[in-house]
Amino acid sequence: MDMTTHRARVTGPISYVGGAGRRQTIPIGPCLVEALGGRSIDIIWGARGQKSVALPVEEIEAAQDHGRLVLLD
């Protein structure tokens, strides 16, 4: 299975359900987007990549369509 990694930038709110079941938001700023060819895509952020969340492909595509996630490469 091929893994694709892109440098990206979060420019608007992208929410997800955190470990405690609470809705949280990925912070605005740089991130990595990693796809393994499945139905979910990992978003990785933080100074050392210490935070991540897997989101359905449809949510990532919607964030891109609305300008909240911009791929840089």
Side-chain angles (χ1 to χ4, degrees):
M1 193 178 303
D2 292 330
M3 180 170 67
T4 305
T5 302
H6 294 282
R7 291 180 317 112
R9 182 162 192 82
V10 175
T11 59
I14 301 174
S15 62
Y16 66 96
V17 177
R22 294 178 30 211
R23 185 142 305 270
Q24 299 180 11
T25 302
I26 298 171
I28 291 175
C31 65
L32 294 176
V33 176
E34 290 187 343
L36 285 171
R39 296 302 310 156
S40 66
I41 294 177
D42 291 330
I43 306 291
I44 303 158
W45 70 94
R48 291 176 291 287
Q50 69 270 26
K51 301 279 188 167
S52 68
V53 65
L55 296 174
V57 170
E58 296 80 12
E59 287 187 36
I60 299 297
E61 289 172 347
Q64 286 181 281
D65 290 345
H66 291 96
R68 296 187 306 260
L69 179 67
V70 177
L71 298 182
L72 301 174
D73 59 4

